Amino acid sequence: MGYKGIDTTELVFDNYAASADSILGGEPGRGFFQMMDGVEVGRVNVSARACGVAIRAFELAARYAQQRTTFGKPIAQHQAIGFSLAEMATKVEAAHLMMVNAARLKDSGERNDVAAGMAKYLTSEYCSEVTQASFRIHGGYGYSKEYEIERLMREAPFLLIGEGTSEIQKTIISKGILREYAL
Ligand SMILES: Cc1cc2nc3c(=O)[nH]c(=O)nc-3n(C[C@H](O)[C@H](O)[C@H](O)COP(=O)(O)OP(=O)(O)OC[C@H]3O[C@@H](n4cnc5c(N)ncnc54)[C@H](O)[C@@H]3O)c2cc1C
């Protein structure tokens, strides 16, 4: 559907014994922790990708809305479209702040499962909403491959799924907040 620049493939290790010195991560018995650390980095990574797709979708909408004229004025001058641009810009800004916060926490070495989960959840959902709003602003052209928003419409859904779906992020967040606010 999207992400045509990378291949997705399956790896099968059938009855394969790795010697201790060639083990992934280099430390036998630490695999689960290494995987969890990798997943936290991955969530910040997907979050950053969601911010990138969202800002591009917003830029395209802001440009198109000032070029396309209906009823005697650029569609950006219709209040409904202006409000849509305002919502998109606010979501792009909030998503970016959330992603940077999670990335800084990860860099500091502190536990960041909740921050990474929140950032991944919010940015991917906002990315999806902003991309769809931009698509709508493009009218019929948004459905055409001639316009970049068509590709972003195919990229955005993966960000809701990869590195754990929104439901899984909410599971992590709820466990974290109940740990913090335990009676
Ligand atoms: C293009 C692409 C590239 C990918 N690349 C990688 C990669 O590089 N590395 C890698 O490890 N994985 C990769 N994945 C896999 C991706 O991480 C998984 O698809 C994703 O985590 C969802 O898992 P699943 O497909 O098994 O869905 P499922 O777990 O079967 O989920 C199906 C639905 O059930 C919901 N659900 C599942 N469990 C629960 C629960 N406990 N509570 C509530 N709802 C639940 C989900 O939210 C979802 O809506 C890739 C996937 C795609 C599409």
Side-chain angles (χ1 to χ4, degrees):
M1 185 173 172
Y3 275 90
K4 304 281 180 166
I6 51 162
D7 272 341
T8 299
T9 187
E10 185 184 27
L11 286 176
V12 178
F13 297 94
D14 189 15
N15 207 17
Y16 178 80
S19 61
D21 60 345
S22 64
I23 202 161
L24 272 177
E27 280 180 85
R30 296 285 305 160
F32 178 76
F33 301 98
Q34 290 167 343
M35 270 296 293
M36 288 301 105
D37 186 62
V39 161
E40 282 180 14
V41 173
R43 288 183 180 148
V44 178
N45 169 309
V46 171
S47 187
R49 283 150 61 185
C51 288
V53 171
I55 195 160
R56 183 63 183 151
F58 167 72
E59 285 170 356
L60 294 173
R63 191 166 71 197
Y64 185 80
Q66 293 173 83
Q67 291 168 339
R68 169 70 171 156
T69 299
T70 68
F71 298 89
K73 53 184 174 185
I75 59 172
Q77 299 301 326
H78 298 306
Q79 193 180 53
I81 301 295
F83 278 10
S84 178
L85 290 171
E87 286 168 14
M88 292 163 80
T90 306
K91 286 175 183 173
V92 165
E93 187 69 19
H96 187 254
L97 289 170
M98 199 94 174
M99 179 274 288
V100 168
N101 179 55
R104 287 205 172 119
L105 209 58
K106 187 71 199 159
D107 275 349
S108 75
E110 280 184 55
R111 179 175 183 165
N112 88 331
D113 54 340
V114 172
M118 285 178 170
K120 201 274 165 179
Y121 165 51
L122 183 118
T123 56
S124 62
E125 292 288 345
Y126 275 4
C127 171
S128 184
E129 291 169 21
V130 167
T131 306
Q132 177 136 168
S134 178
F135 166 76
R136 286 170 182 239
I137 284 175
H138 282 75
Y141 283 132
Y143 209 65
S144 162
K145 282 195 184 296
E146 281 173 56
Y147 282 75
E148 192 181 337
I149 190 62
E150 182 272 345
R151 180 176 65 80
L152 301 185
M153 277 293 283
R154 290 184 287 103
E155 310 287 29
F158 172 62
L159 302 165
L160 296 167
I161 306 291
E163 295 292 349
T165 62
S166 291
E167 287 74 22
I168 296 303
Q169 306 311 320
K170 284 189 263 187
T171 305
I172 293 162
I173 298 162
S174 67
K175 279 188 184 156
I177 54 179
L178 290 174
R179 199 167 52 232
E180 191 179 339
Y181 290 90
L183 296 180

